[in-house]
Amino acid sequence: MSCQTSMMLADTKRDSIHNAETVQPVISRIAGSFRDPSGFVFSRNGEIFRAIDPDRHAVLTSLQKSSQLDQLIKRKWIVGTEFVSDPGLLNEFRSEFPRHRHFLSHQRVEQISYPYEWSVSMLADAGILTLDLQIELLRSGYSLKDATAYNVQFVDGKPVMIDVASIERPERLDVWIGLGQFLQMFVYPLMLCCYRGWDLRSYFLSNLNGREIDKVARSFNWAERLHPRLLLD
């Protein structure tokens, strides 16, 4: 091998090492995560993270210290979640998102689905999980500040809550601020599917946030509204 060829190969190897060292990780915000002012979800090289505000950090830290967060994760009610503690990663995220100081790492859900793609039984299971989680949190003085079906995904056929930023410590525990949303996202579509033969696509695609009670009521005549089964619901 000639000296010139050896030098060319050495230069190529050095350039390859330099390029590998300077490749920057790809960080991008998840398009669907924009409504919650307490934080947002983003990806880094395919891994899922969440930026959270100081209030949410305090709530989740308290839940972790009491072991309740770990218990909920172990029961698979909440998606796998850890606090980002690596100094290098924290500095990287704080540089990318200077308004946030605290970050979470989430287990990646491989298959994302939406309520209008679910079966009726899947929506019912997601609603039951939301209620079970709310009841469990209330026992420790916490609550879900919202109750949208979009906070739930299915892993191995089981519903799991993916929006841990929805957990708060409210001033009052006797009033659930998320109840109205729970009705719109779970109870009303189930009623219309079971009593009127609707499908979930018809319900959600025209009203992504669910329907108001007056619109739901107009789907039933007066005789149907007085039926004991409907009144009970």
Side-chain angles (χ1 to χ4, degrees):
M1 180 183 296
S2 68
C3 180
Q4 183 178 5
T5 301
S6 298
M7 292 176 63
M8 290 176 61
L9 289 174
D11 289 341
T12 301
K13 182 177 181 180
R14 184 173 60 253
D15 290 343
S16 298
I17 294 174
H18 175 73
N19 290 335
E21 292 175 345
T22 57
V23 170
Q24 297 297 317
V26 177
I27 297 178
S28 59
R29 289 186 59 163
I30 303 299
S33 178
F34 60 90
R35 296 184 180 184
D36 191 347
S38 64
F40 56 87
V41 180
F42 62 95
S43 67
R44 177 187 184 274
N45 292 352
E47 297 180 339
I48 304 301
F49 298 90
R50 182 188 299 270
I52 53 175
D53 65 13
D55 289 342
R56 211 59 51 222
H57 178 260
V59 167
L60 295 174
T61 298
S62 178
L63 271 176
Q64 185 188 51
K65 288 181 178 178
S66 68
S67 298
Q68 188 171 15
L69 182 61
D70 291 337
Q71 291 172 10
L72 293 172
I73 293 172
K74 187 176 296 185
R75 295 168 74 173
K76 298 184 178 180
W77 284 12
I78 289 180
V79 69
T81 300
E82 296 180 350
F83 289 91
V84 175
S85 58
D86 178 79
L89 205 54
L90 278 175
N91 289 335
E92 179 183 338
F93 291 163
R94 288 169 179 171
S95 175
E96 183 73 19
F97 307 110
R99 293 185 179 182
H100 291 81
R101 307 296 296 169
H102 308 290
F103 301 89
L104 303 172
S105 170
H106 288 311
Q107 172 192 349
R108 183 179 181 88
V109 178
E110 296 298 334
Q111 183 65 47
I112 300 297
S113 61
Y114 302 96
Y116 50 81
E117 300 173 322
W118 297 347
S119 66
V120 173
S121 62
M122 290 172 72
L123 183 66
D125 286 344
I128 291 171
L129 169 71
T130 303
L131 290 179
D132 285 342
L133 183 57
Q134 172 67 5
I135 292 170
E136 189 68 23
L137 290 171
L138 282 174
R139 294 192 176 112
S140 303
Y142 299 91
S143 178
L144 294 173
K145 66 180 181 180
D146 52 35
T148 172
Y150 295 97
N151 283 350
V152 180
Q153 286 296 320
F154 283 82
V155 178
D156 297 329
K158 303 289 186 180
V160 59
M161 174 70 67
I162 62 171
D163 188 6
V164 297
S166 291
I167 302 174
E168 66 173 358
R169 188 188 288 275
E171 295 182 1
R172 296 179 58 179
L173 295 175
D174 59 328
V175 176
W176 184 21
I177 193 173
L179 178 58
Q181 189 173 48
F182 179 83
L183 294 173
Q184 290 177 264
M185 300 300 286
F186 294 104
V187 177
Y188 297 161
L190 289 173
M191 288 172 60
L192 290 170
C193 288
C194 294
Y195 298 146
R196 304 301 297 165
W198 283 42
D199 62 81
L200 296 182
R201 290 181 63 85
S202 299
Y203 182 87
F204 282 110
L205 287 183
S206 58
N207 298 271
L208 290 178
N209 295 320
R211 289 175 172 255
E212 300 291 341
I213 183 60
D214 57 333
K215 293 182 179 180
V216 175
R218 286 199 292 269
S219 299
F220 300 92
N221 60 42
W222 283 105
E224 290 171 325
R225 294 184 199 181
L226 295 175
H227 193 287
R229 184 175 62 174
L230 192 61
L231 284 175
L232 182 62
D233 284 336

